Each structure stands twice: as C-alpha cells, then as structure tokens.
Amino acid sequence: MTLLSITDLTARYGDFQALFGVDIQLEPGETIAIIGANGAGKTTLMRAITGIVPPSGGSIRLQDRDLTRAPAPEILKAGIAMVPEGRRLFPSLTVEENLLIGGQKRQGNGFWTLARIHELFPILAERRHSPATALSGGQQQMVAIGRALMSNPEVLLCDELSLGLAPVVIKEIYASFPMIRQSGTAIIVVEQDIGQAMKVADRLYCMMEGRITLSGRPGDLSREAIHDAYFGVSHA
C-alpha cells in the first residue's frame, strides 16, 4: 500500500494559485526528493501536506486516511512531521527542551526517544543544556530534525535542509538518513542542490511554477532532462 498519496493537489494564497494539479506518491521506507528553483512551489507543497496552507483542490491521503482538510495538529498526530525551512527552534529553551516538545504528540511507544536522537546526533547529548540558538547552524538543524522525529512520524518532511550550511555539515546531516529510514520513517526532502538530491533519493520530482515538470528514479533521468525541467527549457 502506498504510504502517502497526493493527487491533483492545488493550493492558493488568496487570488494567487501556487500549486497546479500536483501528483506525488511516497512508498513505505522510501526517500523522495523535490527539487526546483526559488518560487517553484516546493515550500507551499510542504505547507499544504502539513495543513498550514489548506489545499483548494485534490487530495492528501496517508495510507487509507484522508487528511486533505485536516488541521495541522491532526496531521502531525496522524504521523506526518516537518523540519521547516529556517529550523524555527524555540530560542528560550535548551536543546533537550526543544527535543522534548517534539515528543508531546508521540505516536505510541515508537522507535524515537531522546536516547535514540542522541545516538543519531551525539553532539546534541553534549549540548543538551545549551540554549538551542547558541548552537551552530548545522547543530540547530540536527535539533530541528530530532524534534520532528520525537513524534515518531511515518513521514518526515525536510524543507531545505542544506540551506546556508557548509558542505561538510550537509554531508553529516544527510548521513542520518539511513538510520531514519531503518526506523520505518519515509522521507520527503526539498532540496535546491540537484547533486545532493540525486545522491539520497529513490525517486526525484522536479517542480516549476507550482507544477511537477519531471519525475523518475535518479539513475533513469539525464542531467539534461533535469536541467530542462528545472529551468523550463523547451527544445520544441
């Protein structure tokens, strides 16, 4: 059974239509990457999946459950958690307190506990009593990932994980993906870095102006096809 099914999804900001008939399928244990330039609709798609932006049409189903019109807290409780662009940590709380907040909507006695987050990112155990915003950008991203995992989601949405981070830090963060997948969590990652997206994804979706312009397995897609879909180049 498909884990997450997004069908003919549309979304609007007032009179402005941001998504046009988006179709995406996520299978259990899979990682898919969504690429596209700024303004392509990637973040709007993430916000629509999590209920922050109510869809104006289409459907979002988690297995057999329709979440299309569900409010954001219900979607989180159902098993979809997001690592937002910019991390959005609570500056007045410590690293550990930020992580524990993520566990307040825990789905039963799942895999992810504070100890497992510390196993995934050992630096967070060392810095557990530090204010979250006193950490480096990469370490803050680890806190944001850990906070989302503490709810034991079936689907983890990661919006622009590598934005503003050094290559060595990006590599360290993406090295956490195998353990996350082994826990039973599927991943959707929004990424502007095409090369990085192709390294981690089982399947790739390219967006432009609110539409899916290309999809497939990275090994089946040529660099030229991805470039053309990314920038809207036509050879007709």
Side-chain angles (χ1 to χ4, degrees):
M1 178 183 291
T2 297
L3 177 59
L4 181 68
S5 180
I6 299 165
T7 306
D8 199 25
L9 191 70
T10 60
R12 311 183 71 91
Y13 294 105
D15 292 334
F16 174 73
Q17 186 165 347
L19 297 178
F20 298 81
V22 172
D23 293 314
I24 289 175
Q25 307 292 316
L26 177 68
E27 303 301 326
E30 187 178 37
T31 295
I32 65 172
I34 300 173
I35 63 172
N38 286 332
K42 307 183 302 296
T43 292
T44 299
L45 175 60
M46 296 297 99
R47 291 175 176 171
I49 294 171
T50 53
I52 298 170
V53 175
S56 54
S59 67
I60 300 169
R61 300 188 68 87
L62 183 65
Q63 294 180 325
D64 59 353
R65 185 169 180 180
D66 187 353
L67 298 177
T68 312
R69 300 287 181 266
E74 184 178 329
I75 291 172
L76 175 59
K77 191 173 181 181
I80 300 177
M82 182 161 74
V83 182
E85 181 182 352
R87 300 178 283 274
R88 299 185 187 176
L89 303 179
F90 295 99
S92 62
L93 301 181
T94 66
V95 167
E96 187 164 299
E97 288 167 340
N98 268 276
L99 293 174
L100 290 173
I101 280 179
Q104 291 182 356
K105 298 292 185 182
R106 184 181 300 279
Q107 303 300 299
N109 297 316
F111 178 87
W112 292 106
T113 62
L114 203 56
R116 287 261 170 70
I117 298 299
H118 291 164
E119 181 183 348
L120 185 68
F121 299 123
I123 189 64
L124 301 188
E126 297 176 25
R127 303 294 304 274
R128 62 167 67 91
H129 300 305
S130 300
T133 50
L135 274 59
S136 69
Q139 292 166 358
Q140 289 185 40
Q141 191 68 280
M142 294 173 191
V143 176
I145 294 169
R147 181 180 60 187
L149 288 173
M150 284 288 286
S151 68
N152 281 291
E154 294 185 64
V155 179
L156 181 69
L157 309 180
C158 300
D159 194 1
E160 302 285 12
L161 283 185
S162 63
L163 193 64
L165 300 180
V168 65
V169 179
I170 295 169
K171 184 177 180 180
E172 185 177 1
I173 287 172
Y174 274 107
S176 69
F177 274 29
M179 183 174 175
I180 294 171
R181 292 174 58 163
Q182 288 166 16
S183 76
T185 298
I187 303 170
I188 299 179
V189 59
V190 166
E191 182 57 76
Q192 286 194 47
D193 185 330
I194 297 173
Q196 184 62 63
M198 293 182 73
K199 287 178 186 177
V200 301
D202 297 302
R203 287 185 297 116
L204 196 71
Y205 290 85
C206 185
M207 292 188 71
M208 183 181 176
E209 296 180 348
R211 295 175 170 86
I212 300 294
T213 52
L214 183 71
S215 65
R217 297 191 176 279
D220 297 334
L221 301 174
S222 69
R223 286 276 182 172
E224 181 181 25
I226 294 171
H227 177 276
D228 292 353
Y230 193 102
F231 293 107
V233 176
S234 173
H235 297 285

